Amino acid sequence: MLFSAWQFVRREENENRLALVASELALRDVEVSCPGFWARLVEITPNAGWVDFDAHGRPDDKTSLSATTCRGLERVWRRDQTSFTCLFGGGCDQNTVRAVHGIVTLAHESWHLRGIVDEARTQCYAVQTTEHVAARLGVSRRDAHLIALRVAVDDATAPHGEYHSPECRPGGRYDLYPETPDWPTG
Ligand SMILES: [Zn+2]
């Protein structure tokens, strides 16, 4: 019982902390849901996160994140994951990769919650707000910038498709700040 209660409190803490960041980006109050311990044992979804839309294309008020995404993000704001310099030096462990993936996923789902449906557009906005989300989770300014650069490089070299558009570039249709040459932030 005690173990369950402790797990529950930890999960609620994490969900609430992540919902703060998601709400800021979504420009409205939204919730973040992480799977509980027992759900986690049987979790089989390959998705990092998702948001449901109704028949009129309106997003739900909640995003559901996978256990791996939730754990990666929790490690960031609880400061279990404090260095990201390996993103350019090489030799990142799985925890670091998951932490970065979690940050991008939270940004991505927040844009869905804001009402963006198209995946490539959503992902492009996520790339451009990764630095902000990382910083809001307590990552140092320098590392938040490193993460954003690394994510932008990965995104730019990803094959075009449902999640990657050639319009995701400085001055492209999905550039949030087309008046500046900076990328991915500003
Ligand atoms: Zn999506």
Side-chain angles (χ1 to χ4, degrees), residues 6-167:
W6 183 79
Q7 289 272 342
F8 180 77
V9 169
R10 296 271 297 187
R11 173 155 57 95
E12 273 219 330
E13 270 180 3
N14 192 30
E15 288 172 337
N16 293 341
R17 184 69 180 78
L18 301 180
L20 277 181
V21 180
S23 297
E24 232 180 64
L25 206 49
L27 302 179
R28 63 196 182 96
D29 278 337
V30 294
E31 285 177 40
V32 169
S33 172
C34 290
F37 180 70
W38 296 111
R40 210 156 65 216
L41 287 179
V42 294
E43 182 179 64
I44 46 164
T45 171
N47 293 320
W50 60 95
V51 170
D52 289 330
F53 284 82
D54 70 13
H56 305 285
R58 281 187 300 248
D60 198 356
D61 297 330
K62 176 193 86 176
T63 176
S64 302
L65 304 179
S66 75
T68 305
T69 305
C70 286
R71 182 74 193 109
L73 286 162
E74 186 171 16
R75 282 181 52 82
V76 175
W77 72 261
R78 288 195 195 274
R79 308 288 166 91
D80 296 329
Q81 177 77 42
T82 50
S83 173
F84 291 90
T85 41
C86 67
L87 289 174
F88 280 91
C92 285
D93 62 12
Q94 200 179 40
N95 278 336
T96 311
V97 174
R98 283 178 174 172
V100 171
H101 197 229
I103 291 166
V104 178
T105 301
L106 185 61
H108 181 103
E109 303 311 330
S110 298
W111 280 102
H112 277 320
L113 290 167
R114 189 148 154 179
I116 308 295
V117 183
D118 181 83
E119 288 297 353
R121 179 181 217 118
T122 302
Q123 182 61 16
C124 190
Y125 290 172
V127 167
Q128 294 173 77
T129 43
T130 290
E131 181 166 340
H132 173 79
V133 168
R136 295 297 288 124
L137 290 169
V139 175
S140 73
R141 201 174 262 270
R142 178 179 157 273
D143 275 6
H145 192 60
L146 268 185
I147 292 169
L149 287 179
R150 183 56 212 256
V151 166
V153 167
D154 277 4
D155 190 78
T157 53
H160 294 145
E162 193 191 351
Y163 282 84
H164 300 283
S165 163
E167 292 302 327

